[in-house]
Amino acid sequence: MKKFTVNEKKLILREFNELLQLSESFTTDEQRELIRKAFNMAYEAHANMRRKSGEPYILHPIAVAKIAIDEIGLGTKSILAALLHDVVEDTEITIDEIQHQFGEKIASLVDGLTKISGVFANRSDLQAENFRKVLMTMTGDMRVIIIKLADRLHNMRTLDSMSPNKQLKIAGETLFIYAPLAHRLGLYSIKQELEDLCLKYLHPHEYDHILQQIKETEKGRLTYINRFSLPITSRLNEEGYDFEISGRPKSIYSIWNKMEKKNVGFDQVYDLFAIRIIFKPKPNLTEKAQCWNIYSIVTDLYIPKYDRIRDWVSQPKANGYEALHATVMGPGGKWVEVQIRTNRMNEIAERGYAAHWKYKGASDQESELDRWIKQIREMLEDPKSDALEFLDDFKLNLFTSEIMVFTPKGEIITLPSASTALDFAFYIHSEIGFHAVGAKVNHKLVGLNHPLRGGDQIEIITSQKQQPELLWLDFVTTAKAKAKLKSSFREKRRIISNEGKNHLEYLLIELNMQPNSTVFRKLFNHYKTRNKEKLYFKIGEEKIDSETFKQILKKRSRNKYIKFWGIENPESTNAASMFDKSKPLIVDDNSRNYTIAHCCNPIPGDDVIGYKADEDDLIIHKTSCPNAIRLNSSESTKVVKVEWTTHRILAFLGRISLKGIDDIGIVNSCTTVISKELNVNMRAINFESHDGIFEGIIDVYVYNTTDLNNLIMNLSKVKGITQVARMEIGDHDSI
Ligand code: MN
């Protein structure tokens, strides 16, 4: 034993012995010997490694193995693979060695696990490709995916010790890929825990807030559940059922999700909990008949909503879920969802179908597992089954987000679906891209901006006289083409920028003016940039005459969104220094070179991330913005955690929606409230009224979310107002 302290060694042995104990019921002596052997190999291999938290690395594979058997219900092969899952990637041990020691099966599982982590490594442009590889690995053996989920769950549970940016990346990826995967595999409790943990890191404030609210409302909820279940309990007792009733609150993530989607507060997410009746079936009667009998008892007591019956007892879900769901009218006119399950069904619901074998006896465990694994594989392979729903969960349909096209020689090339002929040219070779003049798609001559479709055969026509044009950047979508084009323009830009700078000096001298900040602000507005170098470049490109220049300076600056810029010499900006990924980036009144994303319009105080679009532009998104979630997962290297401190100089656009009862003077009351708020400036207001109900939208400039929340609170006190909430401002919409 190397380097570990006595206490650490004790801890490692204790954890390992616990693992052995957990496996005792379904392993033979021989199998336990193999587990010991795998542990020893992993222990030696990781002997000099520690996790970010400082603890011995070996504790991680042990924890993953424990999750795999205890929380998912996998068997011996999976314990071995879980113990060895990081050795090939992180240590000297090779797949061959594992094959030699443990045989082909274990080697192929470890190989699959090693490949998946490679696939999810920091690559920004290969996401769809990655995903297909993952699916292909899955069809090899589902255990690989399930152990990977256990691995991810343990990493999420121990995410605290990672840097904020790593936390964002891992949580984003988990929300985007692993949680939906867990859902599809029927691993509900894992899915739920993953989502809650993601929320904790992606939106810490909201997470804490909801957790707090759940705690505060617990007593009331318990009282209600008792009131609701008491009559059911006595009837079920009369009928001799062995059962348990529980009312679990919904997951924090699902509450948050609902609040976000419907833009409502915590107390308006009415179905915060579902009642679960879990019973031990009596002998001699089918589980199905008993579920329906309990349903009949419940609906004798409470009126059911007939369109809300979900019968997954007669026809289990594809992932194995079985239960009977009903929604009934509970005391106080509240709809309550009731889930009726046997304890076997409950086990499956909580831990996935792998839990199933417990009820079949330990002897045929692996064959039971194999059957389940085969079933899931078939489900994923069958294009007609609802397995394709699975892809919808990914928010982007990753299969249709890619197309396959052909070279003249018939080679297949995979490109993003929005690719053009020019993307194809750059994919083949950057020299072909630079000198492309046109293309033949399916033997027809087309322009370089021609959008490609799946199955197209493309031939690029080149000319050595051709030079890349700036315009091309508008119609290439692949990262490779963009990067190549940009680097070729960089040199050219420098020359043009220089010309622009000289030209601006000349114009100012001609008008007998000084280059002050007003001049620059107007120029920045006119050219829609906030970067001096870009400005010089645009001036250099246009070579405007002094008449046009005068017009620009005369224009009053009126800007729909507020943009921010730093007036400084670009040479002195060290862009890299802004992106120390180990700590959150602070954005405040002194910051420059950032833009507010128009898709979600965050304001200071929101949970935000920064996306480094290019060297001198940081785009700030709300962490909850779908685009931010996507960026986190697909371009995480460019995403930084941002701490947006309170501003006192710059104001930001926020939007509030109002609902209420139409009343004379209500508009006036609202505007009075707004004008009294010192830190708020109204930009626009729009009220509509029909049938005695009015709805309003107000756009205001605020310094931070506190200002906005104060305003919302004060507006909610106005007589007649029934609902006030912050509203998203979409791209380009105005009131
Ligand atoms: Mn791992």
Side-chain angles (χ1 to χ4, degrees):
M1 297 210 173
K2 302 159 200 167
K3 278 191 177 174
F4 298 141
T5 66
V6 176
N7 279 339
E8 282 173 340
K9 284 178 200 163
K10 273 190 195 159
L11 176 66
I12 294 168
L13 280 180
R14 191 166 64 232
E15 290 293 314
F16 178 63
N17 281 328
E18 266 180 44
L19 172 69
L20 276 182
Q21 264 164 31
L22 287 169
S23 69
E24 196 132 38
S25 65
F26 60 85
T27 46
T28 60
D29 288 348
E30 224 167 89
Q31 286 173 320
R32 278 195 292 282
E33 210 37 60
L34 271 177
I35 294 173
R36 248 185 224 110
K37 192 170 148 192
F39 165 73
N40 284 332
M41 185 188 238
Y43 182 90
E44 285 300 319
H46 295 299
N48 294 316
M49 294 168 63
R50 285 176 185 276
R51 303 194 81 209
K52 274 266 153 56
S53 59
E55 60 175 18
Y57 194 88
I58 183 72
L59 291 172
H60 167 65
I62 297 175
V64 174
K66 276 165 113 176
I67 292 171
I69 58 168
D70 194 37
E71 297 182 46
I72 303 177
L74 295 176
T76 313
K77 286 175 198 157
S78 304
I79 300 178
L80 300 177
L83 284 172
L84 298 168
H85 82 271
D86 277 333
V87 297
V88 174
E89 196 185 352
D90 299 339
T91 78
E92 308 278 282
I93 291 176
T94 61
I95 283 293
D96 286 344
E97 213 167 328
I98 290 175
Q99 177 161 358
H100 182 68
Q101 302 270 343
F102 297 95
E104 186 121 13
K105 182 78 224 173
I106 303 303
S108 87
L109 290 176
V110 174
D111 191 36
L113 283 158
T114 310
K115 279 183 185 139
I116 303 186
S117 12
V119 150
F120 282 114
N122 274 346
R123 306 287 292 268
S124 62
D125 53 341
L126 278 175
Q127 203 191 344
E129 180 97 342
N130 292 347
F131 184 69
R132 199 175 32 245
K133 278 188 198 151
V134 171
L135 277 184
M136 268 151 54
T137 321
M138 268 190 195
T139 56
D141 190 328
M142 287 299 303
R143 282 181 191 81
V144 171
I145 292 300
I146 299 167
I147 297 167
K148 186 69 202 165
L149 272 171
D151 179 35
R152 179 50 60 116
L153 181 60
H154 186 243
N155 286 336
M156 285 298 296
R157 282 175 181 170
T158 51
L159 203 55
D160 258 336
S161 43
M162 297 304 244
S163 71
N165 286 304
K166 258 270 149 71
Q167 289 176 348
L168 280 182
K169 173 187 155 46
I170 294 172
E173 201 178 81
T174 303
L175 195 59
F176 199 66
I177 291 170
Y178 290 96
L181 208 53
H183 179 76
R184 285 309 296 175
L185 299 180
L187 302 168
Y188 289 105
S189 60
I190 287 181
K191 173 216 172 204
Q192 187 169 323
E193 188 179 346
L194 285 176
E195 284 177 343
D196 281 357
L197 285 166
C198 288
L199 190 65
K200 184 176 158 192
Y201 290 99
L202 294 173
H203 310 283
H205 303 302
E206 278 103 326
Y207 177 86
D208 290 341
H209 179 69
I210 294 172
L211 195 65
Q212 184 64 26
Q213 298 262 60
I214 288 176
K215 274 188 200 144
E216 276 168 19
T217 51
E218 195 171 4
K219 219 178 150 201
R221 200 165 43 243
L222 217 68
T223 315
Y224 189 82
I225 291 166
N226 287 342
R227 213 169 123 205
F228 180 85
S229 26
L230 224 56
I232 300 175
T233 307
S234 68
R235 281 286 308 274
L236 290 178
N237 274 331
E238 276 166 33
E239 304 231 356
Y241 278 104
D242 183 358
F243 67 96
E244 244 174 73
I245 299 188
S246 63
R248 287 230 216 125
K250 292 213 159 168
S251 79
I252 301 174
Y253 179 82
S254 68
I255 293 172
W256 173 78
N257 206 17
K258 206 156 203 176
M259 285 165 68
E260 283 287 297
K261 267 197 194 136
K262 301 198 169 167
N263 199 14
V264 294
F266 179 83
D267 33 319
Q268 278 160 287
V269 185
Y270 60 91
D271 48 348
L272 290 174
F273 57 88
I275 302 270
R276 246 173 231 169
I277 303 173
I278 298 158
F279 68 101
K280 205 172 144 194
K282 303 178 198 172
N284 307 328
L285 260 172
T286 64
E287 292 185 354
K288 179 177 167 180
Q290 296 181 63
C291 285
W292 280 104
N293 185 39
I294 292 172
Y295 170 84
S296 146
I297 289 170
V298 172
T299 50
D300 279 348
L301 295 160
Y302 303 110
I303 297 164
K305 203 172 179 181
Y306 280 105
D307 57 347
R308 290 289 306 171
I309 298 174
R310 296 284 179 272
D311 176 8
W312 288 302
V313 172
S314 312
Q315 192 64 47
K317 279 195 192 179
N319 60 25
Y321 182 82
E322 294 172 63
L324 187 59
H325 290 194
T327 301
V328 300
M329 178 64 80
K334 260 188 178 180
W335 288 113
V336 176
E337 186 180 285
V338 181
Q339 304 174 351
I340 302 164
R341 303 169 179 171
T342 64
N343 37 20
R344 180 191 62 84
M345 294 171 182
N346 189 54
E347 192 88 3
I348 293 171
E350 299 273 304
R351 295 171 37 183
Y353 198 74
H356 190 72
W357 62 267
K358 250 181 83 175
Y359 293 86
K360 299 263 174 169
S363 57
D364 59 348
Q365 180 221 342
E366 289 284 340
S367 64
E368 265 297 312
L369 269 176
D370 283 336
R371 210 171 311 151
W372 171 61
I373 279 157
K374 197 169 152 251
Q375 192 179 320
I376 291 214
R377 183 164 62 224
E378 277 163 8
M379 176 184 100
L380 287 166
E381 275 168 356
D382 179 7
K384 276 172 289 192
S385 86
D386 74 339
L388 283 181
E389 260 177 43
F390 177 44
L391 294 174
D392 297 338
D393 291 338
F394 286 70
K395 294 170 189 80
L396 290 167
N397 189 327
L398 291 168
F399 278 150
T400 61
S401 76
E402 285 194 335
I403 48 167
M404 290 205 218
V405 295
F406 298 93
T407 67
K409 283 182 186 161
E411 277 172 84
I412 295 177
I413 285 167
T414 311
L415 291 169
S417 63
S419 296
T420 56
L422 190 56
D423 282 304
F424 177 87
F426 274 99
Y427 184 92
I428 301 296
H429 198 283
S430 51
E431 279 305 306
I432 295 183
F434 288 142
H435 299 296
V437 286
K440 275 185 185 167
V441 170
N442 307 327
H443 307 292
K444 256 177 71 188
L445 197 64
V446 297
L448 290 171
N449 61 350
H450 181 81
L452 299 180
R453 283 192 300 194
D456 281 349
Q457 187 165 41
I458 303 117
E459 186 187 338
I460 300 295
I461 303 159
T462 59
S463 154
Q464 279 312 307
K465 281 183 196 154
Q466 175 73 304
Q467 290 292 322
E469 290 169 30
L470 261 180
L471 185 76
W472 289 5
L473 276 176
D474 293 343
F475 57 79
V476 292
T477 56
T478 51
K480 182 179 179 187
K482 277 195 178 140
K484 290 285 174 196
L485 280 172
K486 278 185 184 162
S487 75
S488 91
F489 293 140
R490 216 160 283 149
E491 185 50 31
K492 215 165 139 194
R493 281 183 80 94
R494 215 190 311 271
I495 298 164
I496 297 173
S497 286
N498 245 330
E499 288 171 6
K501 195 175 169 198
N502 292 337
H503 187 65
L504 178 62
E505 272 165 21
Y506 155 81
L507 288 170
L508 287 168
I509 291 166
E510 217 182 38
L511 295 172
N512 202 14
M513 281 179 75
Q514 296 284 328
N516 59 29
S517 61
T518 318
V519 170
F520 272 101
R521 188 160 56 240
K522 303 219 164 174
L523 286 170
F524 280 136
N525 275 344
H526 178 78
Y527 285 106
K528 296 189 175 61
T529 178
R530 57 219 161 277
N531 174 289
K532 226 173 185 177
E533 203 208 355
K534 280 186 187 161
L535 179 70
Y536 290 148
F537 176 77
K538 291 202 169 173
I539 294 172
E541 238 186 349
E542 273 185 30
K543 292 265 168 62
I544 45 166
D545 55 33
S546 52
E547 208 36 58
T548 322
F549 187 55
K550 268 192 246 168
Q551 291 299 323
I552 293 171
L553 296 186
K554 250 191 237 162
K555 241 198 265 173
R556 280 189 55 208
S557 44
R558 216 177 120 257
N559 228 0
K560 190 165 169 271
Y561 340 99
I562 316 172
K563 289 208 171 188
F564 309 90
W565 52 84
I567 295 171
E568 61 177 333
N569 187 348
E571 274 83 1
S572 73
T573 316
N574 182 359
S577 69
M578 283 178 64
F579 291 95
D580 177 357
K581 291 205 91 174
S582 65
K583 45 180 181 283
L585 184 67
I586 310 284
V587 171
D588 58 21
D589 275 329
N590 299 319
S591 304
R592 50 198 95 234
N593 296 337
Y594 70 94
T595 322
I596 307 300
H598 298 148
C599 45
C600 55
N601 286 284
I603 57 186
D606 285 333
D607 276 333
V608 290
I609 56 139
Y611 172 69
K612 189 188 168 191
D614 57 45
E615 280 147 48
D616 43 33
D617 198 3
L618 182 74
I619 300 173
I620 296 190
H621 287 269
K622 278 192 195 171
T623 316
S624 60
C625 172
N627 289 329
I629 292 172
R630 188 175 50 76
L631 290 170
N632 244 327
S633 170
S634 64
E635 294 189 64
S636 65
T637 46
K638 295 184 181 172
V639 172
V640 286
K641 177 101 180 161
V642 169
E643 219 170 273
W644 208 358
T645 57
T646 300
H647 287 241
R648 275 295 159 230
I649 301 173
L650 295 169
F652 297 83
L653 193 59
R655 178 171 291 179
I656 292 173
S657 73
L658 295 156
K659 259 187 197 163
I661 297 145
D662 196 12
D663 191 24
I664 301 164
I666 195 160
V667 174
N668 188 35
S669 310
C670 288
T671 50
T672 310
V673 167
I674 297 166
S675 63
K676 274 187 192 151
E677 291 286 324
L678 286 179
N679 295 323
V680 175
N681 266 317
M682 188 158 67
R683 195 194 79 147
I685 188 165
N686 178 31
F687 281 87
E688 262 171 39
S689 163
H690 44 82
D691 307 326
I693 304 288
F694 91 89
E695 286 179 63
I697 294 174
I698 303 170
D699 280 357
V700 287
Y701 286 123
V702 293
Y703 293 114
N704 51 47
T705 45
T706 317
D707 295 345
L708 195 63
N709 291 338
N710 282 341
L711 178 61
I712 288 173
M713 202 182 66
N714 289 332
L715 281 171
S716 69
K717 290 179 192 155
V718 172
K719 196 172 157 252
I721 298 279
T722 55
Q723 213 185 72
V724 193
R726 179 168 168 197
M727 206 177 149
E728 299 291 329
I729 306 178
D731 207 355
H732 304 303
D733 63 355
S734 58
I735 60 171

